[in-house]
Amino acid sequence: MLKKLFAHSFLYAIGPQVPKLANLLVLPIITAYLEPVDYGIYGTLIAYTGLLSGLRMLGFDVLLVNSFFKKNKWQAYWNRYLGGLYFYNILFVGIYIVFLQIVMPKEVGNDRLLIITLIIIPNTLFHVLNVFGGRYFQLAQKPQFVALVTAVVGSISVFINLYTIAYLELGYIGWFISTAIGGAITFVFYYSQLVKRINVKPILTRNKNFWRKSLRVALPTIPHNYSTYLLNSSDRMVMDQLGTPIGQIGRYNLAYIFGGYMELFGNAVGMAVGPYISALHSKKTNEAEKQVQTLIFFLQVCFITLCVLISIWSKEIFYLLINNDELNQVYNISVIIIMGYAYRPLYWASVNKLQFYEYTGKLWRISFVAGVINVVLNLIFIPIYGIMAAALSTMLSLIYMGVAPYYIKEYKKLNNQKFYPIYWMISVVLLTGIVYSVIDSNALFKGALSIIFITLFVIYFVRQKGNLNKIKV
């Protein structure tokens, strides 16, 4: 079971994301040509564009999934969804442009028109089809093509970043250029398969009843979909609105990048482990539920150990990868964010069960509320404590995500195993305090501490290996 889990994690999730991780390798080169203001402008604009991201697809992702599995002629539904979303996005361009004009940082200067163009064109022409293409190959269980597209586009984007930032010295503009070109190349890949081979193409229907029924299902999912934005990006928007200097926003944005890689890893493992959890739930036996608990506890220990080890050496990692004295001093902020993402396995255990038993209407109480908590805490504490407050707010909101589902009435009725969410999250908080207090210690001490954590993990793994191999799905 363990070999299968690790293999699926790589094939379905981690493998396609390798090009993104390759960006870490070029950081020592490009950071020599970047300033905090570059990270500030880029992070702020990404935060603001994220504010509109949930409105671009109108929650249609759930319609794509439902129609693919429940409709005999799913292509006919996808054609209409594609046509409707393209028509909507063309109308949405005007709002998008006006919005960007309003929120554009003054530091952009004469690059305003170029940046708007680089944001608008990919989002209007390429984004919708790219979403449809990625979703089709996932639902059709053909991850190899997605891996190919991601690997090719990711590799090209890395080279474009190097060329535009390190050679042309375009600063933050290089990121927007690589994103736009990457979106165009992805579009070409999916167009060749989805439109040319599978015959999915935009068709505009005026059937009001069709759109009324579709929107009734899709629109309620928007608050849940916005939770990722509220947790990951809204803090930079709040900083901008509170008048935080763009350089400070840039430092925070860089620190968050490393937390983002931890989220990337979590998404990867989550995609791989999700089917196992659902398959165990489908057995509807006490033994299967006990196996879910065993699997989740193992993953929780793995995540905590990994987060601790990365955080302990965060200072050295920053100094190794960030070739810029102004930027490599924010490692302490990254520790808080990285440790926050240790919540993920507990979240999977509860949310997957709610989804399996179709209590999806309760998800907003978890995800959207966590996002709102993050925004409110940022508004209150950033003016007092600065960018560190944003990191702590994010961590507290993520911990809420890990704990809250276990106290929903519907989940309590379904659950027959104890997962001890409060104790797990208290452990995360205490370990965060320990790690934060030792990040500036000498390498010998941190090496000894790391060996202790690794030894404890190995002992735990040896004891649990037999139970994990008994899990059959």
Side-chain angles (χ1 to χ4, degrees):
M1 185 269 177
L2 286 176
K3 292 181 180 179
K4 195 175 178 182
L5 176 60
F6 291 140
H8 282 202
S9 294
F10 185 85
L11 179 61
Y12 287 95
I14 296 176
Q17 303 298 341
V18 167
K20 292 184 179 179
L21 298 177
N23 280 302
L24 282 173
L25 301 178
V26 303
L27 277 177
I29 301 174
I30 66 174
T31 49
Y33 299 88
L34 295 168
E35 302 293 336
V37 68
D38 290 300
Y39 280 96
I41 292 173
Y42 182 72
T44 301
L45 284 173
I46 291 299
Y48 278 120
T49 54
L51 185 61
L52 299 180
S53 62
L55 299 178
R56 283 184 300 179
M57 292 296 294
L58 293 176
F60 270 45
D61 189 71
V62 66
L63 298 176
L64 299 183
V65 176
N66 290 348
S67 59
F68 187 86
F69 288 111
K70 296 180 181 179
K71 310 293 184 182
N72 291 329
K73 297 180 179 179
W74 62 269
Q75 288 99 329
Y77 285 85
W78 280 39
N79 291 345
R80 286 182 281 182
Y81 296 148
L82 189 61
L85 283 172
Y86 262 112
F87 179 75
Y88 164 75
N89 272 257
I90 291 172
L91 298 178
F92 194 57
V93 167
I95 298 174
Y96 216 148
I97 292 174
V98 172
F99 178 75
L100 288 174
Q101 288 280 10
I102 295 172
V103 302
M104 191 73 66
K106 64 179 184 300
E107 288 83 1
V108 168
N110 296 328
D111 297 326
R112 179 182 296 263
L113 180 59
L114 174 61
I115 296 303
I116 290 176
T117 303
L118 291 172
I119 293 175
I120 290 294
I121 290 180
N123 282 297
T124 304
L125 297 182
F126 309 138
H127 178 75
V128 176
L129 185 68
N130 291 348
V131 171
F132 275 60
R135 180 58 71 184
Y136 166 75
F137 284 101
Q138 180 191 6
L139 298 176
Q141 299 183 23
K142 299 177 181 179
Q144 294 85 355
F145 188 77
V146 177
L148 171 65
V149 173
T150 310
V152 172
V153 173
S155 300
I156 292 174
S157 297
V158 170
F159 284 112
I160 293 174
N161 281 335
L162 275 172
Y163 180 72
T164 56
I165 296 175
Y167 182 74
L168 298 180
E169 299 187 20
L170 295 179
Y172 69 91
I173 295 176
W175 286 316
F176 287 105
I177 293 173
S178 66
T179 300
I181 295 176
I185 298 172
T186 304
F187 178 86
V188 172
F189 272 107
Y190 285 135
Y191 182 88
S192 68
Q193 296 295 310
L194 209 61
V195 177
K196 292 294 185 180
R197 190 173 67 84
I198 306 171
N199 201 32
V200 172
K201 54 189 177 183
I203 294 177
L204 191 60
T205 177
R206 297 182 179 180
N207 188 327
K208 294 181 179 179
N209 190 49
F210 172 81
W211 291 119
R212 189 179 297 112
K213 289 181 179 179
S214 299
L215 292 171
R216 189 180 298 125
V217 175
L219 292 180
T221 66
I222 291 179
H224 175 65
N225 294 336
Y226 257 116
S227 63
T228 301
Y229 166 77
L230 291 173
L231 285 168
N232 295 343
S233 301
S234 65
D235 40 17
R236 273 139 286 190
M237 184 189 70
V238 171
M239 290 180 198
D240 183 61
Q241 290 297 313
L242 293 173
T244 304
I246 198 74
Q248 285 292 93
I249 299 176
R251 292 180 178 88
Y252 178 81
N253 193 57
L254 177 62
Y256 206 102
I257 286 175
F258 289 85
Y261 281 111
M262 194 62 220
E263 182 190 20
L264 177 71
F265 174 77
N267 289 338
V269 179
M271 289 176 64
V273 78
Y276 291 91
I277 297 175
S278 297
L280 288 170
H281 286 322
S282 67
K283 294 181 179 182
K284 298 182 179 180
T285 64
N286 287 334
E287 179 60 26
E289 295 297 322
K290 179 66 177 177
Q291 290 178 344
V292 171
Q293 183 199 58
T294 299
L295 178 59
I296 292 300
F297 281 7
F298 170 71
L299 291 171
Q300 191 63 66
V301 172
C302 288
F303 267 67
I304 290 176
T305 304
L306 182 62
C307 289
V308 166
L309 292 175
I310 294 173
S311 297
I312 285 176
W313 296 99
S314 60
K315 180 178 181 179
E316 287 73 15
I317 293 171
F318 265 72
Y319 276 81
L320 177 65
L321 296 177
I322 308 301
N323 187 19
N324 188 310
D325 290 338
E326 284 191 84
L327 295 172
N328 59 20
Q329 301 297 320
V330 293
Y331 56 86
N332 58 333
I333 297 176
S334 71
V335 168
I336 307 298
I337 300 168
I338 289 169
M339 290 299 298
Y341 280 102
Y343 84 100
R344 296 303 288 274
L346 274 180
Y347 176 77
W348 297 331
S350 53
V351 170
N352 280 15
K353 194 161 193 175
L354 288 170
Q355 290 177 331
F356 180 82
Y357 287 97
E358 298 186 349
Y359 286 109
T360 54
K362 309 300 178 182
L363 295 180
W364 72 271
R365 299 184 187 178
I366 306 164
S367 53
F368 188 71
V369 170
V372 171
I373 290 173
N374 190 40
V375 173
V376 172
L377 291 176
N378 282 332
L379 287 170
I380 295 172
F381 293 108
I382 287 177
I384 304 172
Y385 300 107
I387 59 177
M388 178 58 79
L392 290 169
S393 297
T394 298
M395 183 181 185
L396 290 174
S397 300
L398 293 174
I399 288 175
Y400 172 86
M401 291 266 285
V403 172
Y406 293 89
Y407 296 92
I408 292 177
K409 179 177 65 176
E410 289 75 12
Y411 178 79
K412 287 182 177 180
K413 291 180 180 179
L414 296 171
N415 187 40
N416 57 7
Q417 296 294 329
K418 292 183 178 181
F419 286 89
Y420 308 103
I422 294 293
Y423 294 111
W424 282 111
M425 291 300 100
I426 289 176
S427 299
V428 170
V429 172
L430 292 176
L431 286 170
T432 302
I434 293 172
V435 170
Y436 193 87
S437 65
V438 303
I439 50 176
D440 290 315
S441 301
N442 62 69
L444 184 63
F445 176 77
K446 293 200 288 188
L449 191 61
S450 299
I451 291 173
I452 292 173
F453 274 103
I454 294 171
T455 302
L456 291 173
F457 173 77
V458 171
I459 293 172
Y460 172 80
F461 175 75
V462 170
R463 290 184 174 181
Q464 292 297 317
K465 187 176 179 180
N467 293 329
L468 291 165
N469 284 324
K470 290 178 182 178
I471 300 176
K472 305 294 182 183
V473 291

